[in-house]
Amino acid sequence: MEFDLAAGVAVLERTPHALRALLAGLPPTWTEANEGPETWSPYDIMGHLIHGERTDWVGRARIILAQGTDRRFTPFDRFAQFRESQGKSLADLLDEFARLRAENLETLNGWGLTDAQLALEGEHPAFGPVTLRQLLATWVAHDLGHVAQTARVMAKQYRDAVGPWRAYLPVMDR
Amino acid sequence: MEFDLAAGVAVLERTPHALRALLAGLPPTWTEANEGPETWSPYDIMGHLIHGERTDWVGRARIILAQGTDRRFTPFDRFAQFRESQGKSLADLLDEFARLRAENLETLNGWGLTDAQLALEGEHPAFGPVTLRQLLATWVAHDLGHVAQTARVMAKQYRDAVGPWRAYLPVMDR
């Protein structure tokens, strides 16, 4: 499936609502559990998504659209949330993510991007040249990957509790 | 993490809302796409969840609670949705799932289950003896597994569109 701006935005709009519907009001036994050392809980994932809204997607899109001489992106800090989420509740994070996402989509929609603009390139610090279209497709896929991760991390908390049914639940061993 | 009835119900209550927030109003390019032959789309998954509400979880719980001489469960039809969803829109399925889930949780909550009841056993057609506690934990984990699957199936539609970022998106190859 090719990237389509309207269809991509439709997913980006829904992610904060989907995560709120899944997580808001749950006890910390669900929201602060992870898959083991060096893995993330739903709470950690929310902080990571917020850091992406603040520093990654729209900032990189601006670099591409400006087409300046230096189009290299700042590397993304995958661990910023362990610092930035301190003292915040999960409810705070759900609100913050929804607010930032709405602002970013207003910016994106305001650009009225053309196909020619979607084909413009920036420079990824690891991969080299990437297009705006690929960046926006990645924003969408990154959301969906973390929604999948959130549900998977929660499911795994019942790996033992399900007893023999584990054999029928592939999510337990992904 | 051990199964806890209140914490498990908290997830079961949220699943219809999470799937509605993720899927309602999206174009069929998202909701009818799958991962290849013999795999399921979000639309197929909704039909499967509905069939579970109709025939699986509460029916099996009743068999266990009755403690009759034959406590063997009817095997679950994993392909019923291809017949039963015919002619229904995704919006119909989201509504039907929400309604059936609410009814089933009313039934479950009405039982006021004790620890002794949660330890009662039924007979799974493949595994043999299973407890009510394991059945209810599986209901929860099954929901979460299908939420994860729904988001994963959608993410994979952009496997090519993300270009080199695929290397940073493990969801694309799960």
Side-chain angles (χ1 to χ4, degrees):
Chain A
M1 174 169 157
E2 296 200 2
F3 175 74
D4 173 82
L5 188 56
V9 167
V11 171
L12 293 172
E13 285 173 346
R14 281 162 176 74
T15 308
H17 303 289
L19 287 166
R20 187 188 297 279
L22 190 61
L23 298 175
L26 284 182
T29 45
W30 284 120
T31 60
E32 293 176 14
N34 61 28
E35 295 171 293
E38 311 291 312
T39 67
W40 295 356
S41 68
Y43 178 89
D44 300 331
I45 292 166
M46 287 308 307
H48 168 72
L49 289 170
I50 286 169
H51 191 68
E53 294 305 299
R54 285 201 190 286
T55 69
D56 190 330
W57 312 107
V58 165
R60 290 179 172 193
R62 284 190 206 281
I63 289 172
I64 296 175
L65 288 169
Q67 290 291 293
T69 48
D70 182 5
R71 301 170 195 170
R72 199 176 163 89
F73 307 149
T74 308
F76 183 76
D77 180 358
R78 290 183 64 257
F79 302 97
Q81 67 273 17
F82 296 108
R83 188 176 64 244
E84 293 180 358
S85 295
Q86 279 177 23
K88 296 179 186 169
S89 68
L90 177 67
D92 292 337
L93 299 184
L94 289 167
D95 287 347
E96 191 174 358
F97 178 55
R99 184 175 54 74
L100 291 168
R101 172 57 58 89
E103 288 171 13
N104 283 337
L105 288 181
E106 202 177 324
T107 300
L108 175 66
N109 290 328
W111 287 332
L113 294 172
T114 63
D115 276 352
Q117 284 175 306
L118 289 169
L120 293 173
E121 290 183 350
E123 192 191 337
H124 187 280
F127 307 137
V130 287
T131 64
L132 179 55
R133 189 186 301 275
Q134 288 168 338
L135 175 73
L136 298 179
T138 303
W139 192 4
V140 174
H142 179 267
D143 266 23
L144 291 167
H146 284 298
V147 172
Q149 179 188 18
T150 299
R152 183 187 77 227
V153 171
M154 292 170 66
K156 283 190 184 175
Q157 306 313 312
Y158 276 175
R159 187 143 57 176
D160 296 327
V162 298
W165 265 290
R166 178 167 170 179
Y168 283 7
L169 294 166
V171 70
M172 295 301 182
D173 298 286
R174 279 188 202 276
Chain B
M1 174 170 158
E2 296 201 359
F3 175 74
D4 173 83
L5 187 57
V9 166
V11 172
L12 293 172
E13 284 173 347
R14 281 161 176 74
T15 308
H17 303 289
L19 287 166
R20 187 187 297 279
L22 189 62
L23 298 175
L26 284 181
T29 46
W30 284 121
T31 60
E32 294 177 15
N34 62 29
E35 296 172 291
E38 311 292 311
T39 67
W40 294 355
S41 68
Y43 178 88
D44 299 332
I45 293 166
M46 287 308 306
H48 169 72
L49 289 170
I50 286 169
H51 192 67
E53 293 305 300
R54 285 201 191 286
T55 68
D56 190 330
W57 312 108
V58 166
R60 290 179 171 192
R62 283 190 206 281
I63 289 171
I64 295 175
L65 288 169
Q67 289 291 294
T69 47
D70 182 6
R71 300 169 197 170
R72 200 177 163 89
F73 306 149
T74 307
F76 183 77
D77 180 358
R78 290 184 64 256
F79 302 96
Q81 69 272 19
F82 297 107
R83 188 175 65 242
E84 294 179 358
S85 295
Q86 279 179 22
K88 296 179 185 168
S89 68
L90 179 67
D92 292 337
L93 299 185
L94 290 167
D95 288 346
E96 191 174 357
F97 178 54
R99 183 175 56 74
L100 291 168
R101 173 58 56 89
E103 288 172 12
N104 283 336
L105 288 180
E106 204 178 321
T107 300
L108 175 65
N109 291 327
W111 286 334
L113 294 172
T114 63
D115 276 353
Q117 285 175 305
L118 289 168
L120 293 173
E121 290 183 348
E123 192 191 336
H124 187 280
F127 308 137
V130 287
T131 65
L132 179 56
R133 190 186 302 274
Q134 289 169 336
L135 174 74
L136 298 179
T138 303
W139 192 5
V140 174
H142 179 266
D143 267 24
L144 292 166
H146 284 299
V147 171
Q149 179 189 19
T150 300
R152 183 187 77 227
V153 171
M154 291 170 67
K156 284 190 183 175
Q157 306 314 311
Y158 277 175
R159 187 142 59 175
D160 296 328
V162 299
W165 265 290
R166 178 167 171 178
Y168 282 8
L169 293 166
V171 69
M172 295 302 183
D173 298 285
R174 278 188 203 278

